[in-house]
């Protein structure tokens, strides 16, 4: 077998290695050189968007419609997002794998999963007037550069509050970059701008000239730890690069179409050659190199600590055990890493990235990809290592594991209990078995009997329950279902055990149990739970109808039947509105005597879900609404249409508290309208805040000052 150091190459006084992660990544017909390619950190998803500045030749079945395509690093298409919202000037990722899209007019969309769901807000601060020309992203936010050289910072996506930074001087911006807040003294983002012969450092308070005279600089790039900045100024047109990124904190990688150089200082220490255009995606400890054919990972060889060898050199028995436990954890982590690196998932995490990301965030990424089996494995590995490594008492360990895994379907407590038993923690293993929902997965009888025989005390209640499970399961396998139910009917404990087991993974057995026991409400609840899980409206409606039928045979369940019928009717109306069947909707409202308030709520939610802005705008012309107008504002704004939402503010005004309209207009990005409302209620404090947010001296800021001038006299 080849030595593990065979692919190491010395670059200066450091060793680097280039690892081939995946091959045959993208379709040969995909002209990757004509796309903007941006990737998420921690081996995350890759977004492709056609470069608007280049001509494209459509081949085969390729669509002419614009789209943003999300891929794994292995080239598996995760999602295609159709795009018709204008020119994209910023395309980037957050550390939580949210795709951030910024358009020329300052509209920002945050796709918070990989399935097309998003939130939306506006940059304001003159972005719509002057236009966004470029953006730079970091883990939790971004900075946008406008055509008038003004800069807008968004430090957080959860509660976006776009803020204008200090005003830099006029002049062409040759290149620019950012230093994330985590690495600045001010703890706010700082922007480096190459203007004329020098570099300006801009933050929220000031724009500082660094007094250089050797520019202009064509590339500025800050290292991942924020300590170094690579400044490049090419003198010839032929020197133009296609990409420049840091590889960790020690080297810079520069790409020229199909050629990649690794540089330290002014020296090129290594060159790599490819068959096509190379795109660079930087990560915390290395860089991904993407072509149509290959996804490589280039990194400095990390320092490795061998826990097993270290344990052998340690004379203290306590520390020997700790080091060996650490080695065991490492083995478990490797199993997780190998599972997610597999090409079908395509998350090529390095060990350092895995530690920084944390298992919890990795699980979220797998859920977004709908890779449910993989995240079950991660949770089971985590819990198994907890029982092996943790020095806390067994009750605390059990409580931590149960709290973490509660409500997560498919988790095997039996496997975790085995790990505890193998560690000599018999009582912990027994306690964990209490939470195993699938009786067939309970620990084998031989293990329990072995434990019972080894002690002189009576078996615990939990152990007796486990034995009962096996007896009941044995009967279920041997007897016909009707005979099985007759046997357990007179034994409440056995019935309760079967019910608890069936609730986890056997709804058909649960329905039969409730039916033969004449528990109609419980049986109907099973159908309702199934209805809620259906993806298609017809299937959901059928399940609800079965629940109604089951309940309608009894006079005692009249209230439940009526409630279910109303729920079914509401759901049907919602679907009909979304599909555009207006006449059928009105007929149903009349036939089933749906109250106006209920009907308007259903209609509003359906139209918002459909994004039927024209119909909603028509409703804004209606004189009265049985549910008021605030729900229209809130739902439409949440759906990403602040302009339409603002139409409902004047209509909602009579029912609003004084000054509430100010914040509503602010949420829509309409500071001038908010200022007008502030003048109406004589709110000088809000006027000052709005002027600060707009930027003192900006067009919007001056207009707000003019509006509020009369209030200050």
């Amino acid at each position: 077998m080849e030595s593990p150091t065979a692919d190491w190459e010395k670059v200066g006084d450091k060793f680097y290695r280039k690892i081939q992660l995946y091959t045959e990544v993208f379709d040969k017909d995909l002209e990757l050189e004509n796309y903007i390619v941006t990737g998420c950190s921690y081996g995350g998803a890759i977004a492709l968007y056609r470069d608007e500045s280049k001509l494209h030749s459509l081949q085969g079945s390729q669509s002419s419609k614009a789209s943003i395509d999300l891929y794994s690093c292995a080239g598996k298409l995760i999602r295609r997002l159709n795009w018709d919202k204008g020119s994209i000037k910023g395309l980037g990722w957050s550390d939580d794998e949210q795709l951030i899209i910024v358009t020329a007019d300052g509209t920002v969309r945050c796709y918070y999963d990989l399935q097309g769901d998003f939130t939306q807000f506006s940059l304001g601060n003159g972005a719509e007037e002057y236009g966004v020309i470029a953006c730079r992203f970091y883990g939790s936010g971004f900075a946008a550069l406008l055509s008038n050289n003004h800069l807008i910072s968004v430090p957080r996506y959860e509660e976006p509050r776009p803020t204008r930074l200090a005003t830099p001087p006029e002049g062409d911006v040759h290149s620019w970059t950012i230093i994330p807040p985590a690495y600045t003294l001010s703890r706010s983002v700082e922007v480096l701008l190459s203007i004329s012969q020098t570099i300006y450092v801009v933050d929220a308070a000031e724009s500082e000239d660094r007094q250089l005279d050797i520019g202009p600089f064509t590339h500025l790039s800050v290292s991942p730890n924020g300590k170094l900045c690579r400044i490049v100024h090419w003198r010839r047109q032929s020197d133009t690069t296609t990409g420049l990124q840091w590889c960790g904190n020690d080297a810079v990688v520069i790409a020229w179409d199909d050629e990649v150089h690794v540089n330290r200082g002014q020296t090129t220490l290594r060159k790599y050659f490819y068959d096509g255009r190379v795109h660079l995606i930087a990560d915390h400890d290395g860089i991904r190199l993407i072509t149509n054919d290959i996804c490589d990972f280039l990194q400095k060889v990390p320092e490795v600590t061998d826990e097993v060898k270290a344990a052998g050199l340690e004379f203290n028995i306590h520390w020997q055990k700790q080091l060996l436990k650490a080695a065991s954890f490492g083995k478990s982590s490797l199993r997780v890493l190998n599972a997610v690196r597999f090409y079908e998932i395509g998350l090529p995490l390095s060990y350092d990235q895995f530690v920084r990301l944390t298992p919890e965030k990795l699980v979220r990424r797998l859920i977004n990809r709908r890779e449910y089996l993989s995240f079950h494995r991660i949770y089971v590995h985590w819990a198994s290592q907890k029982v092996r490594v943790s020095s806390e008492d067994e009750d605390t360990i059990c409580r931590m594991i149960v709290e973490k895994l509660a409500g997560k379907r498919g988790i095997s407590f039996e496997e975790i209990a085995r790990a505890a038993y193998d560690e000599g923690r018999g009582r912990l293993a027994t306690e964990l078995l209490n939470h195993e929902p699938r009786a067939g997965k309970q620990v084998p009888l031989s293990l329990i009997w072995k434990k019972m025989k080894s002690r002189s005390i009576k078996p615990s209640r939990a152990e007796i329950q486990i034995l009962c499970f096996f007896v009941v399961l044995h009967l279920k396998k041997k007897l016909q279902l009707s005979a099985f139910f007759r046997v357990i009917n007179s034994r409440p404990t056995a019935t309760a055990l079967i019910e608890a087991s069936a609730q986890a993974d056997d709804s058909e057995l649960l329905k039969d149990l409730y039916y033969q026991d004449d528990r109609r409400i419980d049986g109907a609840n099973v159908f309702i739970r199934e209805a809620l899980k259906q993806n298609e409206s017809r299937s959901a409606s059928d399940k609800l109808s079965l629940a109604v039928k089951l309940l309608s045979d009894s006079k005692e369940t009249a209230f439940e039947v009526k409630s279910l019928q109303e729920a079914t009717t509401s759901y049907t109306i919602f679907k009909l509105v979304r599909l555009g069947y207006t006449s059928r909707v009105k007929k149903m409202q009349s036939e089933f005597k749906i109250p106006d308030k209920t009907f308007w709520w259903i209609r509003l939610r359906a139209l918002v879900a459909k994004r039927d802005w024209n119909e909603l705008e028509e409703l804004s012309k209606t004189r009265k609404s049985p549910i008021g107008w605030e729900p229209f504002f809130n739902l439409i704004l949440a759906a990403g249409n602040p302009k339409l939402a603002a139409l409902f503010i004047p209509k909602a005004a009579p029912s609003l508290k004084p000054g509430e309209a100010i914040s509503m207009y602010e949420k829509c990005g309409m500071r001038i309208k908010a200022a007008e409302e502030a003048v109406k209620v004589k709110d000088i404090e809000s006027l000052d805040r709005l002027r600060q947010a707009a930027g003192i001296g900006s067009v919007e800021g001056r207009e707000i000052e003019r509006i509020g001038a009369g209030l200050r006299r």
Side-chain angles (χ1 to χ4, degrees), residues 489-551:
N489 268 349
S490 58
R491 295 167 176 83
T493 301
T495 303
L497 289 172
I498 280 294
E499 183 176 354
S501 172
Q503 280 178 341
D505 58 3
D506 195 344
S507 62
E508 294 304 316
L509 177 62
L510 202 59
K511 291 175 197 172
D512 291 335
L513 174 65
Y514 291 150
Y515 184 77
Q516 65 84 35
D517 208 20
D518 201 29
R519 294 163 61 181
R520 297 178 181 276
I521 293 178
D522 289 330
N525 284 336
V526 178
F527 283 112
I528 293 168
R529 286 198 296 271
E530 289 181 343
L532 293 173
K533 294 175 184 176
Q534 301 302 312
N535 293 323
E536 295 181 1
S537 58
R538 183 178 293 277
S539 301
S541 182
D542 290 344
K543 295 285 184 184
L544 290 173
S545 297
L546 289 170
V548 170
K549 184 178 180 182
L550 189 62
L551 291 172

Side-chain angles (χ1 to χ4, degrees), residues 129-180:
E129 181 181 356
Y130 293 103
V132 177
I133 59 172
C135 296
R136 298 288 183 268
F137 299 86
Y138 57 94
S140 63
F142 72 94
L145 176 66
L146 307 187
S147 63
N148 62 348
N149 283 10
H150 286 190
L151 294 156
I152 302 173
S153 167
V154 177
R156 293 182 62 200
Y157 298 120
E158 294 80 11
E159 296 178 4
R161 294 184 179 175
T163 307
R164 242 191 68 189
L165 302 182
T167 304
E170 296 179 355
D172 292 339
V173 176
H174 302 288
S175 60
W176 68 292
T177 190
I178 58 174
I179 306 175

Side-chain angles (χ1 to χ4, degrees), residues 355-585:
V355 171
R356 287 175 65 118
L357 182 62
T358 73
E360 288 79 10
K361 289 184 179 178
L362 176 56
V363 165
R364 281 206 292 272
R365 292 196 174 193
L366 292 169
I367 291 171
N368 285 343
R369 287 163 171 75
R370 300 182 178 176
E371 296 288 351
Y372 302 115
L373 182 60
S374 298
F375 85 74
H376 288 160
R377 289 174 185 159
I378 292 172
Y379 273 128
V380 171
H381 280 308
W382 169 82
S384 300
Q385 295 311 315
K386 198 74 179 173
V387 301
R388 293 187 182 113
V389 177
S390 180
S391 58
E392 293 167 308
D393 64 87
E394 293 188 350
D395 289 336
T396 302
I397 295 169
C398 184
R399 187 174 65 254
M400 289 171 64
I401 290 172
V402 171
E403 286 176 356
K404 190 78 164 179
L405 306 185
K408 294 178 171 61
R409 292 176 61 83
I411 297 295
S412 173
F413 277 90
E414 178 259 348
E415 188 175 336
I416 304 165
R418 282 184 181 279
Y421 185 80
D422 292 341
E423 284 293 308
R425 293 180 157 180
R427 191 173 73 85
L428 176 59
T430 305
E431 290 298 321
L432 288 167
L433 282 169
N434 286 334
H435 301 280
E436 173 57 63
R438 295 163 295 184
K441 291 289 185 180
Q442 295 284 356
V443 69
L445 282 171
S446 57
L447 187 153
I448 302 168
W449 282 117
K450 180 181 177 182
K451 185 172 185 288
M452 289 181 180
K453 290 176 182 177
S454 67
R455 57 190 196 186
S456 57
I457 60 174
K458 290 173 67 177
S460 69
R461 185 178 178 181
E463 290 168 334
I464 292 172
Q465 285 181 346
I466 293 167
L467 290 173
C468 286
F469 260 125
F470 277 94
V471 172
V472 171
L473 284 175
H474 178 75
L475 287 171
K476 181 176 176 290
K477 288 179 181 177
K478 295 294 182 183
L479 299 174
Q480 290 186 348
L481 196 60
S482 57
F484 171 69
F485 284 140
R486 283 197 297 271
V487 170
I488 67 170
N489 268 349
S490 58
R491 295 167 176 83
T493 301
T495 303
L497 289 172
I498 280 294
E499 183 176 354
S501 172
Q503 280 178 341
D505 58 3
D506 195 344
S507 62
E508 294 304 316
L509 177 62
L510 202 59
K511 291 175 197 172
D512 291 335
L513 174 65
Y514 291 150
Y515 184 77
Q516 65 84 35
D517 208 20
D518 201 29
R519 294 163 61 181
R520 297 178 181 276
I521 293 178
D522 289 330
N525 284 336
V526 178
F527 283 112
I528 293 168
R529 286 198 296 271
E530 289 181 343
L532 293 173
K533 294 175 184 176
Q534 301 302 312
N535 293 323
E536 295 181 1
S537 58
R538 183 178 293 277
S539 301
S541 182
D542 290 344
K543 295 285 184 184
L544 290 173
S545 297
L546 289 170
V548 170
K549 184 178 180 182
L550 189 62
L551 291 172
S552 61
D553 294 337
S554 172
K555 293 180 180 179
E556 296 175 0
T557 56
F559 174 77
E560 287 82 359
V561 170
K562 185 179 179 183
S563 299
L564 266 176
Q565 286 174 334
E566 287 177 357
T568 307
T569 304
S570 298
Y571 188 79
T572 305
I573 290 174
F574 179 88
K575 286 294 181 183
L576 288 173
V577 172
R578 287 200 67 175
L579 294 170
Y581 294 112
T582 308
S583 58
R584 289 175 64 181
V585 167

